[in-house]
Amino acid sequence: MTIKRKLIRFALIIIILVGIVSQSSYLQGKVAYASIWIYLTLQQEHRSIVDIEYVAAFGNYIAVIVNENGERSGISLSPSFFPVMIDYDSAHPPA
């Protein structure tokens, strides 16, 4: 077997494994947490993540965030299979 063939086989195995693992709700929750953490870091706001859960009625992940004053806000993430896009942040509603 040539090196090129081995590399192609290895790449296909990695792609298949990533596809299978990405369907795990545990991993989806961790991706949602990481996405919100990055979003809050880039916003340079002192808010902390209280809870993240999948809400089937909306088909999105919803996170509860608390700021320094104890005020709660929510952040909605989509798509449900790989939650990396912030749909709505109640602390910064669209104009």
Side-chain angles (χ1 to χ4, degrees):
M1 202 180 255
T2 66
I3 300 232
K4 185 177 180 181
R5 231 181 208 178
K6 286 182 181 180
L7 287 175
I8 291 172
R9 180 178 284 178
F10 180 73
L12 286 174
I13 290 171
I14 295 298
I15 290 170
I16 290 170
L17 286 175
V18 167
I20 291 170
V21 171
S22 70
Q23 299 306 313
S24 164
S25 62
Y26 175 77
L27 180 64
Q28 291 170 349
K30 295 300 179 187
V31 169
Y33 185 89
S35 299
I36 294 172
W37 183 82
I38 291 169
Y39 174 74
L40 294 176
T41 302
L42 291 176
Q43 293 288 326
Q44 296 182 353
E45 296 181 6
H46 301 288
R47 298 192 286 170
S48 59
I49 303 168
V50 175
D51 187 30
I52 298 175
E53 64 181 58
Y54 179 73
V55 180
F58 296 118
N60 290 340
Y61 278 85
I62 306 292
V64 177
I65 310 296
V66 174
N67 68 6
E68 297 169 329
N69 302 328
E71 299 170 346
R72 292 178 170 247
S73 60
I75 295 179
S76 173
L77 291 105
S78 67
S80 62
F81 59 88
F82 197 67
V84 293
M85 188 174 75
I86 306 291
D87 284 339
Y88 184 76
D89 182 358
S90 63
H92 302 288

